[in-house]
Amino acid sequence: MNLRLFPLQTVLFPAMRMPLHIFEERYRTMIRACIEEDAPFGVVLIREGAEIGGGAIPHNTGTTARITQVEYLEDGRMNIFSIGAQRFRISKINTDRDYLTGEVEIIEQQEPTDAAHALMPKAQELFNDYLKTYLAIGGQWTRGVTLPGDPAEAADYIAARTDTMAEIKQRWLEELSPESRLAQELEVIGGALPEMRVRLAARLHQKTSGFAVLN
């Protein structure tokens, strides 16, 4: 399968929504072709190089993206809204166009084991705690979320919404065992929560200090 590639400084997961502002001419051409053909493109994390300009070298594993909405702007620029679909692995990169294309194969995750299902209650509880704390630090609030019932989908859901380094997310994208991926994510989230709670307590203290009570 030949796929147009979009190297970025972020990792896309299946079912994850991703807005993009398209301004470079080469990517305008690429996205117009995807729209005309109703074809997906591939999002790949940059291993070396930068998003703007040429020469970016991507990781070999990425996620296909389907365009769901387009907003056309002046001078040919576009805002597009896309959603992640399937993992893929690049077998060959082609550089015969202004943008990268690649020969890719779609890769499937392993079937969730009983052990993966056994992690789900802990994943639900810990991720809710993480999400509420993360949003509260920014002055936001949520009742929490209900994870997808399938461990593979739940692992992707958590991965897409965890604030951590792109290289860690890339490892999660490449990990095809839902059990292993969930375990890694819970370790990262659990490790981050104590420091996040300290930050939240400091924020709340700062917010409420300095006010005198008038009688």
Side-chain angles (χ1 to χ4, degrees), residues 119 155 172 177-189:
L119 284 173
W172 292 345
S177 162
E179 176 190 350
S180 179
R181 196 158 72 257
L182 274 174
Q184 291 176 35
E185 291 165 357
L186 296 182
E187 182 177 0
V188 169
I189 289 172

Side-chain angles (χ1 to χ4, degrees), residues 145-164:
V145 297
T146 300
L147 293 177
D150 179 85
E153 294 177 8
D156 282 347
Y157 187 96
I158 292 171
R161 292 160 179 82
T162 298
D163 184 19
T164 191

Side-chain angles (χ1 to χ4, degrees), residues 13 36 40 51 65 70-71 82 88 118 129 148 174 179 195 214:
F13 288 88
E36 289 169 3
E51 286 185 355
V70 184
E71 179 185 4
S82 60
F88 65 83
D129 191 2
E174 295 174 5
E179 176 190 350
E195 190 270 338
L214 301 178

Side-chain angles (χ1 to χ4, degrees), residues 100-113:
L100 295 179
T101 64
E103 297 296 329
V104 310
E105 59 175 337
I106 300 299
I107 51 178
E108 301 292 341
Q109 299 189 59
Q110 299 171 13
E111 286 296 318
T113 60

Side-chain angles (χ1 to χ4, degrees), residues 189-205:
I189 289 172
L193 268 170
E195 190 270 338
M196 290 171 64
R197 293 186 182 114
V198 171
R199 287 167 57 198
L200 177 58
R203 181 186 184 280
L204 294 175
H205 176 73

Side-chain angles (χ1 to χ4, degrees), residues 92-105:
K92 179 184 178 182
I93 290 182
N94 301 314
T95 57
D96 55 343
R97 303 186 188 186
D98 291 339
Y99 53 85
L100 295 179
T101 64
E103 297 296 329
V104 310
E105 59 175 337

Side-chain angles (χ1 to χ4, degrees), residues 24-44:
E24 285 192 80
E25 184 57 41
R26 56 182 174 153
Y27 291 123
R28 295 185 202 177
T29 301
M30 186 185 88
I31 294 301
R32 282 196 296 266
C34 289
I35 293 169
E36 289 169 3
E37 299 171 17
D38 191 24
F41 60 93
V43 173
V44 279

